[in-house]
């Protein structure tokens, strides 16, 4: 199936619910059709281009004057197996949480803590989605897609993906140069449960001996209690990244604020909780017009209805400034702003 439209509204294609329009929109289910579409008309090379999954991590500041590509490749299939693992190839268009549900149903481990994260499977490796002590990079084996420069289908192995905290080669060097069409995951037949995130362990143990199913249920309970449902309230999950700062800055914050959460990060650095910083700066639950900070999770900015991308951006700028003034910490947006 392919679909091509001009002057196409993206309102239903971004979880913030911003009514931006794309000059051109192309959706495909078969990677071969993408290749034909792009090769047949070389003028696409002159257009700006973005790839859009479910639009759960994107904020459109304006209409998009270019080509939006929506990979809608379906399918979950087992491609290999050994004593401990199944390798499963999943189309980029599958809904992430439906894939987690599939894995848990067949008792395959490695992604249960990533339950209820919005978005598509194709988007998962781009920002290396993570939650409750798991990151998707731990189970990605290969990422397949279309290379716009070489004009051919190709693939990246795990070592080539340059995964880091909410980051990968697809978000940096290959941004809008490589269109992910499917991902191969290595799932475990005899999973080791990862319950090191405190609140999760409590919740799972309350349900009895841990199983993949009970972990999934517990994660869904925690997420639903803290994060808004994008079907009811427009948002894009965490709006900012948890900032990684020098150890010395973290130490001086600890002296002034007893409760500041500080986690160890790579290279002797420290990771702070952006949600905590924003809450302490007085923003939790604050609403300005149709935009606001969520009442239960300060890391999430919400659209109460009809907000433009620019309004959300301006509001986030105020939060950034106020956190910098109070703590000397520069927040970085996690959401992709177009
Ligand atoms: N906190 C506050 N106030 C808030 C929110 C958080 O004080 O409003 C404090 C909490 O008390 C806790 C610390 O900040 O001490 C961390 O909070 P939490 O464990 O809820 O996680 P987070 O750092 O806010 C990150 C991810 C989430 C992920 C959770 C759980 C990022 C940017 N966010 O949030 O991911 O679900 O951990 O693992 O890394 C997303 O990326 O969209 C997302 C939701």
């Amino acid at each position: 199936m392919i679909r091509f439209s001009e002057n196409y509204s993206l309102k239903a294609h971004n979880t913030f619910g911003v009514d931006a329009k794309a000059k051109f929109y192309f959706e495909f289910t078969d990677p071969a059709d993408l290749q034909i579409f792009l090769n047949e008309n070389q003028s696409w090379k002159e257009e700006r281009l973005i790839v859009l999954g479910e639009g759960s991590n994107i904020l459109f500041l304006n209409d998009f004057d270019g080509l939006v590509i929506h990979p809608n490749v379906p399918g979950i299939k087992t491609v290999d197996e050994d004593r401990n693992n199944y390798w499963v190839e999943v189309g980029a268009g599958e809904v992430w949480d439906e894939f987690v549900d599939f894995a848990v149903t067949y008792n395959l481990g490695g992604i249960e803590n990533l339950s209820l994260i919005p978005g598509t499977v194709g988007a998962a490796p781009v920002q290396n989605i993570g939650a409750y002590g798991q990151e998707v990079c731990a189970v990605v084996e290969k990422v397949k897609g279309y290379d716009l420069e070489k004009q051919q289908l190709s693939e990246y192995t795990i070592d080539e993906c340059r995964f880091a905290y909410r980051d990968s080669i697809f978000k940096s060097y290959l941004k809008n140069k490589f269109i992910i069409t499917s991902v191969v995951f290595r799932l475990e037949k005899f999973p080791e449960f990862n319950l090191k995130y405190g609140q999760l362990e409590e919740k799972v143990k309350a349900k009895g001996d841990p199983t993949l199913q009970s972990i999934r249920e517990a994660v869904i309970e925690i997420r639903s209690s803290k994060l808004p449902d994008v079907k009811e309230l427009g948002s894009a999950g965490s709006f900012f990244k948890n900032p990684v700062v020098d150890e010395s800055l973290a130490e001086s914050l600890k002296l002034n604020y007893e409760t500041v959460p500080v986690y160890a990060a790579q290279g002797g650095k420290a990771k702070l909780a952006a949600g905590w910083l924003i809450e302490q700066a007085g923003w939790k639950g604050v609403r300005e017009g149709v935009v606001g900070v969520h009442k239960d999770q300060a890391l999430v900015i919400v659209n109460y209805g009809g907000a433009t991308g620019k309004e959300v951006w301006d509001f986030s700028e105020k939060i950034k400034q106020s956190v910098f003034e109070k703590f000397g910490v520069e927040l970085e947006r996690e959401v992709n702003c177009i």
Side-chain angles (χ1 to χ4, degrees), residues 131-132 165-166 197 223 226 238 242 273 276 279 284 297-298:
Y132 311 109
Y165 167 63
R166 293 295 192 279
Y197 184 90
R223 288 189 76 95
K226 282 195 197 168
S238 301
N242 284 333
W276 185 91
E279 180 173 348
K284 195 171 189 168
Q297 167 53 287

Side-chain angles (χ1 to χ4, degrees), residues 186-289:
R186 182 190 49 77
L187 299 178
E188 296 159 2
K189 292 182 184 176
F190 311 104
E192 264 179 46
F193 303 135
N194 184 341
L195 299 177
K196 63 181 182 233
Y197 184 90
Q199 205 191 345
L200 180 61
E201 177 157 30
E202 258 166 59
K203 273 223 187 293
V204 171
K205 297 231 160 118
K207 293 173 190 288
D209 282 342
T211 61
L212 293 179
Q213 194 65 49
S214 71
I215 296 173
R216 174 165 165 77
E217 280 167 17
V219 168
I220 289 176
E221 282 166 25
I222 299 174
R223 288 189 76 95
S224 320
S225 71
K226 282 195 197 168
L227 296 165
D229 181 347
V230 291
K231 287 187 210 91
E232 284 158 23
L233 202 55
S235 89
S238 301
F239 194 88
F240 297 100
K241 286 189 194 180
N242 284 333
V244 175
V245 300
D246 285 336
E247 188 68 39
S248 55
L249 178 55
E251 285 305 322
S252 73
L253 284 176
K254 271 192 208 163
L255 289 178
N256 292 319
Y257 305 92
E258 259 177 33
T259 60
V260 62
V262 178
Y263 315 98
Q266 278 179 338
K269 299 238 175 188
K271 187 147 92 182
L272 304 174
W276 185 91
L277 296 167
I278 295 166
E279 180 173 348
Q280 297 299 313
W283 287 98
K284 195 171 189 168
V286 170
R287 177 173 174 169
E288 286 187 2

